[in-house]
Amino acid sequence: MHPAARTRTTFRAGPTPVPQPRSRRIRSLIDADALRVLHRAARVLLDDLPDLTDRLLAVLREQEPAYRTALENDHAATWQEVYRSLRHSVTSLLDPRGTREAAHRCTWRIGVTRAEQGLPLDALLHAFRLGGSLVWQRLVEETTRSEPEDIRLLVHVATDVWNFVDEHCTLVADAYRQAERQLAWRRENRVRLLAAALLDGTSRIADLPETAERLCLPEHGRYVVVAVAGGRPQDPPAGGSAYWHAGVEVDHGIVLVGDDGGGEAVRDPVAALALPTDGPAGCRIGVGSAVTGLAAVGDARRLADLALSICPPDGGTVRLTEHLPEALVVSCPELGATLTERVLGPLLRLEPADRDVLLDTLVAWFACEGSAQRAGERLYCHRNTVLNRLRRCEQLIGRSLARPHDVVEISLALTARRLLRG
């Protein structure tokens, strides 16, 4: 829509043309005459811009469905946009130097605006070329009407007119693509901010519908959050049943494990995130327990982080529902340390060699579900040795392995010492 001409001396680009066998004086006269004809016709077009605008819009309405929709939605704004574009184009025929920057700014604004509105780039470029064709047609019509003998002179400016149209097509495409990149970045950043607020538990209730839409997750589904440190999925999920949020030290996956839509529930959140159960060395995975609704994802993230904190330093997968005693201890380290000292204190103050033998025996006995025989096999000693050591432990700590309450305390104290020792 920016069909404007530039004088040959000012705007010609590319290699220097091969000299023709005619004098410079004759060429200058022809250029001057061609520009005179061009300017005379352009002044008529400038006075006839409203009609020219209507003609171009009629063509766009007929040939471009996207512009047909734009005209139906906001006819006045579309008309003004086309009018301004044509006005800059025609005035550029009369004063290429003086109007160049203004014409460029107008074209750039159109490219940005149409990108923001979602008008297809192909439709926009087609509109610019139709505008150039219409202006050229009107220049020819006016010259034919007023001075038919001068029509041949327009040939000398035709190349420059169409070069100008191509220049503005390139410019509007550049503006459109740059605006598209910025819009994409804003959308991605908005999604990331919404997901971060969801995981932090700071998401506003009013933002939940938008969050659900942008993350492609139902607002009222059931969710599990998976926390990952030291490894990432090869192909992160892109909506539908999971959303992957990359962090600085810990990454989180929000996994839909069930909804009201009748879809099949996800059995394994780790697999849904394309995470191998046995990840690379040092990859730690914590799987929280399920919560209901996107509004509760912040709680699910805290549960996943709790599971992650239980993972061994050398890597592995911990599902919170399978390690609830450990989670209880880790969730309140101060109480865990107090429990360790209160239950195991006398034993811990023994000489290191004696202490370690008794602690290893207790750990083995619990691991073997209270079987002295199997604990002895694990420790390479007789079952009676195991029993003797256990009795000594009972005497030191003042608790009995035959009482369920004492067994729970001892088990939790051993867990707290293992998890909190570092």
Side-chain angles (χ1 to χ4, degrees), residues 352-415:
D354 198 12
R355 176 198 65 200
D356 291 345
V357 167
L358 294 179
L359 284 173
D360 289 345
T361 302
L362 272 175
V363 170
W365 185 79
F366 275 100
C368 295
E369 300 176 341
S371 170
Q373 180 68 38
R374 284 164 36 211
E377 293 172 359
R378 176 176 291 198
L379 296 170
Y380 302 104
C381 64
H382 195 272
R383 65 180 296 274
N384 290 338
T385 303
V386 172
L387 292 173
N388 290 333
R389 291 175 184 174
L390 293 177
R391 278 193 292 272
R392 188 179 174 205
C393 288
E394 290 175 317
Q395 293 169 357
L396 284 169
I397 63 179
R399 285 166 172 78
S400 171
L401 293 174
R403 286 197 297 266
H405 180 272
D406 290 353
V407 170
V408 171
E409 279 196 336
I410 296 170
S411 175
L412 285 175
L414 288 171
T415 299

Side-chain angles (χ1 to χ4, degrees), residues 195-330:
L198 203 63
L199 289 164
D200 290 341
T202 58
S203 183
R204 301 184 307 165
I205 297 298
D207 290 335
L208 289 178
E210 181 189 359
T211 303
E213 179 183 357
R214 290 182 179 266
L215 271 58
C216 301
L217 296 171
E219 186 176 345
H220 302 292
R222 283 183 60 75
Y223 292 97
V224 166
V225 172
V226 179
V228 182
R232 296 185 178 183
Q234 296 295 325
D235 299 305
S241 63
Y243 175 81
W244 180 256
H245 183 79
V248 178
E249 295 181 353
V250 178
D251 305 321
H252 293 93
I254 305 171
V255 184
L256 176 67
V257 294
D259 58 23
D260 299 332
E264 186 177 350
V266 173
R267 294 181 179 276
D268 186 0
V270 174
L273 289 168
L275 287 164
T277 303
D278 298 323
C283 177
R284 297 160 52 235
I285 301 173
V287 184
S289 52
V291 298
T292 300
L294 282 178
V297 164
D299 295 331
R301 190 270 302 170
R302 285 186 284 275
L303 294 173
D305 287 345
L306 185 58
L308 183 67
S309 68
I310 303 172
C311 283
D314 57 350
T317 299
V318 169
R319 301 175 191 275
L320 189 66
T321 53
E322 300 171 2
H323 295 80
L324 293 178
E326 293 96 325
L328 287 171
V329 169
V330 173

Side-chain angles (χ1 to χ4, degrees), residues 22-33:
R22 60 183 179 183
S23 68
R24 189 180 302 273
R25 172 66 177 168
I26 294 174
R27 181 60 179 268
S28 298
L29 286 174
I30 291 175
D31 286 346
D33 287 342

Side-chain angles (χ1 to χ4, degrees), residues 2-7 11 35 38-39 42 46 85-104 164 168:
H2 275 294
R6 294 173 291 177
T7 61
F11 294 95
L35 287 175
L38 177 67
H39 290 170
L46 201 56
S85 179
L86 290 173
R87 178 166 53 82
H88 281 293
S89 298
V90 177
T91 53
S92 293
L93 299 173
L94 299 168
D95 183 14
R97 287 179 181 273
T99 60
R100 177 184 176 86
E101 292 303 319
H104 280 192
F164 189 84
H168 280 262

Side-chain angles (χ1 to χ4, degrees), residues 135-268:
V135 169
W136 177 251
Q137 179 184 337
R138 288 288 290 113
L139 289 172
V140 173
E141 289 174 356
E142 177 56 31
T143 303
T144 302
R145 184 192 65 79
S146 60
E147 299 289 343
E149 67 279 3
D150 288 341
I151 193 69
R152 59 184 177 80
L153 292 172
L154 283 180
V155 175
H156 295 279
V157 294
T159 300
D160 294 318
V161 169
W162 287 104
N163 283 345
F164 189 84
V165 173
D166 289 341
E167 176 188 353
H168 280 262
C169 283
T170 300
L171 186 65
V172 78
D174 289 345
Y176 187 100
R177 293 188 181 103
Q178 180 173 316
E180 245 188 351
R181 287 193 294 270
Q182 291 175 346
L183 287 169
W185 180 86
R186 288 175 193 162
R187 283 192 295 268
E188 291 171 3
N189 194 51
R190 177 63 176 164
V191 169
R192 180 171 176 77
L193 290 175
L194 289 170
L198 203 63
L199 289 164
D200 290 341
T202 58
S203 183
R204 301 184 307 165
I205 297 298
D207 290 335
L208 289 178
E210 181 189 359
T211 303
E213 179 183 357
R214 290 182 179 266
L215 271 58
C216 301
L217 296 171
E219 186 176 345
H220 302 292
R222 283 183 60 75
Y223 292 97
V224 166
V225 172
V226 179
V228 182
R232 296 185 178 183
Q234 296 295 325
D235 299 305
S241 63
Y243 175 81
W244 180 256
H245 183 79
V248 178
E249 295 181 353
V250 178
D251 305 321
H252 293 93
I254 305 171
V255 184
L256 176 67
V257 294
D259 58 23
D260 299 332
E264 186 177 350
V266 173
R267 294 181 179 276
D268 186 0

